[in-house]
Amino acid sequence: MSLASFFQILPPKLPYSCKSVPIETLLMPEKITLLWYKKNPSDVAPKVGDRVKTGQDLAEDGKGPFVSTATGRIEEISDFQGPEGHGYVSVVISQNKRDSFDLALTPIEDFSEVDPVDLRAAVNRAGFTALSSISNDPSTWPSVNTLIVSALDLDPHSVVNQQIFRDHVDLVEDSIDLLARTTGASSCVIAVPDNLSDIAGSISTGIANIVIVPPIYPKGLPDILAKEYGKGFLIKRNENQVVTGNTLVISIEHAIAMLGCLKTGKPLTDKTITFSAGKGGEMKNFRVRIGMPVAEILKKADVEPPERGKLILNGLMNGYACFSGDQPITESTDSIHVQAPSEVFYFQDNACINCGKCNAICPVDLEVNFLGRFSQYGMFDKCRNLGAENCIECGLCAYVCPAHRPLVQLISHAKHVIRTEALEDVSMEEALAKIEMEDFHPTIKLFETKQEEKNTTK
Ligand code: SF4
Ligand code: SF4
């Protein structure tokens, strides 16, 4: 933290880690667990006991794709509650030692000969769900004005994208060509952190511009990149399921993986994560099979599961605590941090002291103090009027709040209620009741219980 921020003249600056951390590949575990967002066990086509191949689409007709990252036998299909509060269907597969690949995907030698709609279908079928969440139908993809391929990481404690950029800079140009054709983007940008600008100099950019980004959090978050370098908004679904925005941001890891998958006709099977344990602990980059349980990674890293500490997935700023070692790695897991008990930060149900620090640091200019209060007291229509939906959940407000209020959880909860109201076409009260039944945020539950206890003792 800088001297200026210590005296509260400027907000604190959080630099991204710039370390070079070689990537080590971990052996496949005996079992993997695949998660499928907001689906039911009946949406999975094979049954328990069936054998499946790597790359096989496990979805019932018209529901997928839901791509297997392993070859083996299905042991269990069940509902799964994610630590971030979302519901999934989970499929546990006991793996063979070797992959036997489904032949639905075929290698594409020359992308320039292939229709963009077919390229999108191939990307979806290879298992890149981050893109298929925009549209499962390749013929109805939104029009992309700007494509940003980012070599920045999402959290200050992750060094995945930076390392992949270092290791595979020679593949960046081909990846951009593929993505430009696939998405139809009229302008392409390669976002590179300042510390890697010398490596970026070796790229023959062709159709893309290189932008050098200060390695300060939250500059690497997709919404911020879209705003600053796409001159627009990230393409996403709003609360009414309408796709809005004009800029697509893809990590360099996914861009290079897409190139590899389409060229070889193989599915996406692996994910690279940054692993660290304890404050200031050594960072390691592991390449693991998607679906590998966190507990297996701890075992391979020779780290004991924390008894009173926490497992944090996807970073200390905008990640979440995971309560079970059974939690599997997904396509969007970037990091695991094992927190020692002394490092664990506890939110408080303290009242806001109106210091204004949260408002000053919010990168999307929200009135965070009011949003926190309105959400706390169930005034979700007021949260909507203040633009709660625009919160990018960067965590900076909670980081600076001297009252230690769980601001991100409160705002995220309000967003969830607002979305449910719009999606299900129900009242706010009905939306709240539905969320409480299904996947209410654990921190908010705790917060409300403490409030009730306080009210009772008054
Ligand atoms: S998490 Fe806080 S600081 Fe970040 S965008 Fe949301 S309200 Fe603003
Ligand atoms: S930082 Fe915390 S205490 Fe200060 S205004 Fe925001 S919510 Fe209130």
Side-chain angles (χ1 to χ4, degrees):
M1 192 182 285
S2 72
L3 198 60
S5 65
F6 181 77
F7 289 110
Q8 307 303 328
I9 300 165
L10 291 171
K13 281 190 173 174
L14 281 174
Y16 287 99
S17 174
C18 297
K19 286 184 185 144
S20 173
V21 180
I23 297 170
E24 181 188 337
T25 301
L26 297 188
L27 291 177
M28 289 204 286
E30 282 177 11
K31 286 182 190 174
I32 61 152
T33 302
L34 301 175
L35 296 186
W36 196 9
Y37 181 55
K38 288 218 163 178
K39 295 288 181 187
N40 302 309
S42 60
D43 295 326
V44 180
K47 305 291 170 228
V48 171
D50 287 355
R51 302 201 72 80
V52 294
K53 290 185 172 180
T54 307
Q56 183 175 333
D57 184 1
L58 306 182
E60 280 287 359
D61 276 353
K63 304 258 180 172
F66 173 44
V67 178
S68 174
T69 62
T71 299
R73 200 175 63 87
I74 295 187
E75 291 215 337
E76 190 185 328
I77 301 173
S78 57
D79 290 312
F80 185 93
Q81 183 78 22
E84 76 294 54
H86 295 154
Y88 300 83
V89 61
S90 88
V91 175
V92 180
I93 300 173
S94 58
Q95 293 204 81
N96 292 0
K97 289 219 163 60
R98 283 178 193 280
D99 284 305
S100 168
F101 287 97
D102 186 273
L103 298 177
L105 283 164
T106 47
I108 302 174
E109 271 303 312
D110 183 1
F111 305 121
S112 61
E113 299 293 315
V114 183
D115 189 286
V117 173
D118 294 334
L119 287 177
R120 292 170 199 173
V123 167
N124 277 2
R125 183 59 187 79
F128 289 89
T129 56
L131 288 184
S132 58
S133 65
I134 297 170
S135 171
N136 250 340
D137 177 357
S139 61
T140 60
W141 267 31
S143 105
V144 178
N145 176 286
T146 307
L147 166 74
I148 301 179
V149 175
S150 173
L152 283 101
D153 287 285
L154 297 184
D155 190 87
H157 290 87
S158 173
V159 285
V160 169
N161 281 307
Q162 293 180 56
Q163 194 60 37
I164 287 174
F165 185 72
R166 278 190 186 93
D167 294 350
H168 300 290
V169 68
D170 54 318
L171 298 177
V172 171
E173 198 186 337
D174 284 354
S175 308
I176 300 268
D177 284 347
L178 165 65
L179 277 164
R181 183 158 179 80
T182 306
T183 61
S186 47
S187 136
C188 298
V189 171
I190 308 170
V192 178
D194 198 14
N195 53 304
L196 299 180
S197 56
D198 52 338
I199 298 176
S202 67
I203 302 172
S204 155
T205 50
I207 53 171
N209 289 324
I210 295 180
V211 294
I212 303 299
V213 181
I216 303 291
Y217 184 80
K219 295 281 186 193
L221 293 187
D223 289 88
I224 303 295
L225 288 171
K227 193 167 130 195
E228 297 197 358
Y229 304 103
K231 310 286 180 228
F233 294 98
L234 203 58
I235 294 176
K236 53 172 99 164
R237 284 179 187 276
N238 69 11
E239 69 269 30
N240 296 313
Q241 290 301 292
V242 176
V243 176
T244 60
N246 57 8
T247 303
L248 193 61
V249 177
I250 295 179
S251 70
I252 200 82
E253 181 186 23
H254 276 156
I256 288 175
M258 272 179 211
L259 179 74
C261 289
L262 267 59
K263 280 226 174 239
T264 58
K266 297 270 165 65
L268 175 71
T269 52
D270 295 339
K271 181 74 187 76
T272 302
I273 54 152
T274 299
F275 180 90
S276 56
K279 198 171 184 182
E282 186 193 358
M283 283 176 156
K284 293 177 180 172
N285 271 334
F286 293 142
R287 186 178 160 100
V288 303
R289 191 56 65 112
I290 292 172
M292 186 164 179
V294 167
E296 287 288 328
I297 297 172
L298 259 65
K299 223 187 277 174
K300 306 254 180 198
D302 211 10
V303 169
E304 288 291 322
E307 268 185 29
R308 285 173 298 111
K310 274 187 183 174
L311 290 169
I312 308 284
L313 297 193
N314 283 346
L316 298 172
M317 289 307 294
N318 64 354
Y320 44 85
C322 121
F323 302 101
S324 156
D326 293 340
Q327 171 69 28
I329 298 301
T330 69
E331 178 199 349
S332 55
T333 312
D334 278 329
S335 65
I336 302 175
H337 179 73
V338 184
Q339 264 190 336
S342 59
E343 267 186 281
V344 175
F345 176 84
Y346 293 99
F347 287 110
Q348 310 283 326
D349 57 345
N350 294 333
C352 166
I353 58 168
N354 286 324
C355 66
K357 287 182 181 174
C358 52
N359 296 352
I361 204 164
C362 177
V364 289
D365 300 327
L366 292 173
E367 292 184 70
V368 188
N369 52 347
F370 285 125
L371 279 170
R373 266 182 265 182
F374 289 147
S375 175
Q376 181 179 350
Y377 295 111
M379 299 154 88
F380 301 113
D381 47 348
K382 285 197 164 41
C383 292
R384 182 179 45 212
N385 296 343
L386 285 179
E389 275 287 308
N390 297 327
C391 167
I392 59 171
E393 300 184 18
C394 66
L396 283 171
C397 51
Y399 180 72
V400 297
C401 176
H404 298 166
R405 287 169 59 72
L407 293 166
V408 186
Q409 288 85 349
L410 285 166
I411 298 170
S412 150
H413 176 53
K415 283 166 70 176
H416 200 164
V417 177
I418 293 165
R419 277 181 173 245
T420 306
E421 182 208 25
L423 261 179
E424 313 266 337
D425 198 16
V426 292
S427 69
M428 284 285 183
E429 291 71 27
E430 287 166 328
L432 184 60
K434 200 170 163 42
I435 288 170
E436 282 178 352
M437 289 288 292
E438 287 173 0
D439 46 14
F440 197 31
H441 203 291
T443 307
I444 301 295
K445 255 185 189 155
L446 196 70
F447 195 67
E448 292 212 330
T449 313
K450 282 191 169 184
Q451 288 278 329
E452 276 164 23
E453 281 169 8
K454 250 188 184 175
N455 293 342
T456 325
T457 50
K458 264 181 192 169

